Coordinates of all heavy atoms in Angstrom, one line a residue:
A1 N 0.8 -1.2 0.0 CA 0.0 0.0 0.0 C 0.9 1.2 0.0 O 1.9 1.3 0.7 CB -0.9 0.0 1.2
T8 N 7.8 3.8 5.3 CA 9.1 3.1 5.3 C 10.2 4.0 4.8 O 11.2 4.1 5.4 CB 8.9 1.9 4.5 OG1 7.9 1.1 4.9 CG2 10.2 1.0 4.5
S11 N 11.2 6.7 7.3 CA 11.9 6.1 8.5 C 13.4 5.8 8.1 O 14.3 5.9 8.8 CB 11.2 4.9 9.1 OG 11.4 3.9 8.3
R37 N -7.5 -25.4 18.9 CA -8.6 -26.0 19.7 C -8.1 -27.3 20.3 O -7.3 -28.0 19.7 CB -9.8 -26.4 18.7 CG -10.2 -25.2 17.9 CD -11.3 -25.5 16.9 NE -11.6 -24.3 16.1 CZ -11.1 -23.9 14.9 NH1 -10.2 -24.8 14.4 NH2 -11.3 -22.8 14.3
Y48 N 1.0 -27.7 30.1 CA 2.0 -26.7 29.6 C 2.7 -26.1 30.9 O 3.8 -25.7 30.8 CB 1.3 -25.5 28.8 CG 0.8 -26.0 27.5 CD1 -0.5 -25.6 27.0 CD2 1.6 -26.9 26.7 CE1 -0.9 -26.0 25.8 CE2 1.1 -27.4 25.5 CZ -0.1 -26.8 25.1 OH -0.6 -27.3 23.8
P63 N -20.3 -19.7 28.4 CA -21.2 -20.8 28.3 C -22.4 -20.5 27.2 O -22.7 -21.5 26.6 CB -21.8 -20.8 29.8 CG -21.1 -19.8 30.6 CD -20.2 -19.1 29.7
L86 N -5.8 -21.2 23.9 CA -6.4 -22.6 23.8 C -7.9 -22.4 23.8 O -8.4 -21.7 24.6 CB -5.9 -23.4 24.9 CG -4.4 -23.4 25.2 CD1 -4.2 -24.1 26.6 CD2 -3.7 -24.0 24.1
G102 N 3.0 -27.2 11.6 CA 4.1 -28.1 12.0 C 4.3 -28.2 13.5 O 4.0 -29.2 14.1
L106 N 10.5 -23.8 20.9 CA 10.8 -23.2 22.2 C 12.4 -23.3 22.2 O 13.0 -24.3 22.1 CB 10.3 -24.0 23.3 CG 8.7 -24.1 23.4 CD1 8.3 -25.0 24.6 CD2 8.2 -22.7 23.7
P129 N 16.5 -35.8 22.5 CA 17.5 -34.8 22.3 C 18.8 -35.2 21.5 O 19.2 -36.3 21.8 CB 17.9 -34.2 23.7 CG 16.8 -34.7 24.6 CD 16.2 -35.9 24.0
F148 N -0.3 -31.8 19.5 CA 0.5 -30.6 19.0 C 2.0 -30.8 19.4 O 2.3 -31.2 20.5 CB 0.0 -29.3 19.6 CG -1.2 -28.8 18.8 CD1 -2.5 -29.2 19.3 CD2 -1.1 -28.1 17.7 CE1 -3.6 -28.7 18.6 CE2 -2.2 -27.6 17.0 CZ -3.4 -27.9 17.5
F150 N 5.9 -29.6 20.0 CA 6.8 -28.5 20.4 C 8.2 -29.0 20.1 O 8.7 -30.0 20.6 CB 6.6 -28.3 21.9 CG 5.3 -27.6 22.2 CD1 4.1 -28.3 22.2 CD2 5.3 -26.2 22.5 CE1 2.9 -27.7 22.5 CE2 4.1 -25.6 22.7 CZ 2.9 -26.4 22.7
R161 N 14.1 -12.8 25.6 CA 13.7 -13.4 26.9 C 12.7 -14.5 26.7 O 12.6 -15.4 27.6 CB 13.0 -12.3 27.8 CG 13.5 -10.9 27.7 CD 12.5 -9.9 28.2 NE 11.4 -9.6 27.2 CZ 10.5 -8.7 27.4 NH1 10.3 -8.2 28.5 NH2 9.6 -8.5 26.4
F164 N 9.5 -18.8 23.5 CA 8.8 -19.0 22.2 C 9.7 -18.4 21.1 O 10.1 -17.2 21.1 CB 7.5 -18.3 22.2 CG 6.4 -19.2 22.7 CD1 5.8 -19.0 23.9 CD2 6.0 -20.4 22.0 CE1 4.7 -19.8 24.4 CE2 5.0 -21.3 22.4 CZ 4.4 -21.0 23.7
V167 N 6.9 -20.5 14.9 CA 5.8 -21.3 14.6 C 6.1 -21.8 13.2 O 6.4 -21.1 12.3 CB 4.5 -20.3 14.5 CG1 3.3 -21.1 13.9 CG2 4.1 -19.7 15.8
M168 N 6.1 -23.2 13.1 CA 6.5 -23.8 11.8 C 5.1 -24.2 11.0 O 4.3 -24.8 11.5 CB 7.3 -25.0 12.1 CG 7.9 -25.6 10.8 SD 6.9 -26.6 9.7 CE 7.7 -28.2 10.0
L169 N 5.1 -23.7 9.8 CA 4.0 -23.9 8.9 C 4.6 -24.5 7.6 O 5.6 -24.0 7.1 CB 3.2 -22.6 8.5 CG 2.7 -21.8 9.8 CD1 2.1 -20.5 9.3 CD2 1.7 -22.6 10.5
G172 N 3.6 -24.9 0.1 CA 3.9 -25.5 -1.1 C 4.9 -24.9 -2.0 O 5.6 -25.6 -2.8
Y181 N 4.7 -12.9 3.0 CA 4.9 -12.5 4.3 C 5.6 -11.1 4.3 O 5.4 -10.2 5.1 CB 5.5 -13.5 5.2 CG 4.6 -14.5 5.5 CD1 4.7 -15.8 4.9 CD2 3.5 -14.3 6.3 CE1 3.8 -16.8 5.2 CE2 2.6 -15.3 6.6 CZ 2.7 -16.5 6.0 OH 1.8 -17.5 6.3
A197 N 19.9 -33.5 1.8 CA 19.7 -34.9 2.2 C 18.3 -35.3 2.5 O 17.9 -36.4 2.2 CB 20.7 -35.3 3.3
M215 N 9.9 -13.9 17.9 CA 9.3 -15.0 17.2 C 9.5 -14.9 15.7 O 9.7 -13.8 15.1 CB 7.8 -14.8 17.3 CG 7.2 -15.3 18.6 SD 7.5 -17.1 18.8 CE 6.2 -17.7 17.6
D229 N -2.9 -30.7 4.4 CA -4.2 -30.8 5.0 C -4.2 -29.9 6.2 O -3.4 -30.0 7.1 CB -4.3 -32.3 5.4 CG -5.6 -32.6 6.2 OD1 -6.4 -31.6 6.4 OD2 -5.8 -33.7 6.7
A254 N -1.5 -7.3 -1.9 CA -0.5 -8.4 -2.1 C -1.2 -9.6 -2.5 O -0.6 -10.7 -2.6 CB 0.2 -8.6 -0.7
G263 N -12.5 -4.2 10.8 CA -13.5 -3.6 11.6 C -13.6 -4.1 13.1 O -12.9 -5.1 13.4
F283 N -4.3 -15.8 9.2 CA -3.8 -14.9 10.1 C -4.8 -13.9 10.6 O -5.7 -13.5 9.8 CB -2.6 -14.1 9.4 CG -1.4 -14.9 9.3 CD1 -1.3 -15.8 8.2 CD2 -0.5 -14.9 10.2 CE1 -0.3 -16.7 8.1 CE2 0.6 -15.8 10.2 CZ 0.7 -16.7 9.1
L285 N -5.0 -9.9 12.1 CA -4.3 -8.7 12.6 C -5.2 -8.0 13.6 O -6.3 -7.8 13.3 CB -3.8 -7.8 11.4 CG -2.7 -8.4 10.6 CD1 -3.2 -9.0 9.4 CD2 -1.7 -7.4 10.3
T289 N -3.8 -1.1 20.2 CA -4.4 -0.3 21.3 C -5.7 -1.0 21.8 O -5.9 -1.1 23.1 CB -4.8 1.1 20.8 OG1 -3.6 1.6 20.1 CG2 -5.1 2.0 21.9
F291 N -6.2 -4.2 21.7 CA -5.7 -5.3 22.3 C -5.3 -5.1 23.8 O -5.7 -5.8 24.7 CB -4.5 -5.9 21.6 CG -3.9 -7.1 22.2 CD1 -4.4 -8.4 22.1 CD2 -2.6 -7.0 22.9 CE1 -3.8 -9.5 22.8 CE2 -2.0 -8.2 23.5 CZ -2.6 -9.3 23.4

Side-chain angles (χ1 to χ4, degrees):
T8 305
S11 70
R37 304 174 186 96
Y48 294 139
L86 314 169
L106 296 176
F148 280 93
F150 288 77
R161 324 161 277 180
F164 272 111
V167 174
M168 192 277 250
L169 302 174
Y181 288 106
M215 280 296 286
D229 172 3
F283 286 85
L285 287 102
T289 313
F291 176 76

